Amino acid sequence: QVRLVESGGGLVQPGGSLRLSCVASGRILKINNMAWYRQTPGKNRELVAQINNRDEIDYGESVKGRFTISRDAAKNTVFLQMNSLKSDDTAVYYCDAFVTELGSWDIKEYWGQGTQVTVSS
C-alpha cells in the first residue's frame, strides 16, 4: 500500500502565495508520475499540474504562469508553488500518484485526502 499526505493549504488573500507539499510513503519501487488536481463543489476534478519521472511537466491552462510544480525524487515528494492566487483558485487540492510497488510490476494510482485552499480577502 502507498499513502499520500498533503500539507500547506490554508487561507490566503488574493494576490498571495501558498506552497503545497505531498509526501508519498509505503511500498514504493518507483513513482512514475505525480500530479495536483483540484475540485470545487458540483464540479469535476481538474488537473492543475503534473510531473513525471523524466521531469516532464504539464499545467492546466488556468494556472500557467502562476503555479510551479516540482519534485524531490529522493524524498518521494511533490510541491506546488502557487503565486498570484485568485478567488477562482479556491478548491480542495488533491495529490495523485502513479506508483510501481515493491514486489509488483503493476502501476497503481493513489490519491491523497486533499487540502483546502481558500483565496479570500
Side-chain angles (χ1 to χ4, degrees):
Q1 275 289 353
V2 173
R3 185 181 182 208
L4 303 180
V5 178
E6 302 106 331
S7 61
L11 173 64
V12 63
Q13 293 186 342
S17 298
L18 279 177
R19 189 185 194 219
L20 305 183
S21 300
C22 172
V23 181
S25 62
R27 295 179 53 81
I28 299 170
L29 175 63
K30 177 183 177 182
I31 295 180
N32 301 280
N33 191 81
M34 294 189 84
W36 290 97
Y37 285 77
R38 65 186 183 187
Q39 190 170 24
T40 54
K43 292 188 177 181
N44 292 331
R45 200 165 287 190
E46 170 193 25
L47 175 68
V48 177
Q50 62 181 344
I51 183 168
N52 66 17
N53 56 14
R54 297 180 298 278
D55 288 327
E56 295 167 334
I57 292 173
D58 290 311
Y59 292 102
E61 284 297 322
S62 62
V63 306
K64 283 182 179 178
R66 300 187 298 122
F67 290 11
T68 302
I69 190 170
S70 61
R71 70 186 182 111
D72 183 338
K75 296 181 179 180
N76 293 331
T77 301
V78 65
F79 306 98
L80 184 68
Q81 178 66 43
M82 305 186 292
N83 298 329
S84 302
L85 283 161
K86 309 173 183 178
S87 58
D88 287 348
D89 295 317
T90 296
V92 178
Y93 284 71
Y94 296 91
C95 180
D96 167 76
F98 283 85
V99 178
T100 304
E101 294 185 43
L102 290 167
S104 172
W105 291 108
D106 295 335
I107 298 176
K108 296 182 181 179
E109 184 177 21
Y110 290 92
W111 290 91
Q113 80 288 351
T115 185
Q116 177 70 46
V117 171
T118 302
V119 184
S120 175
S121 55

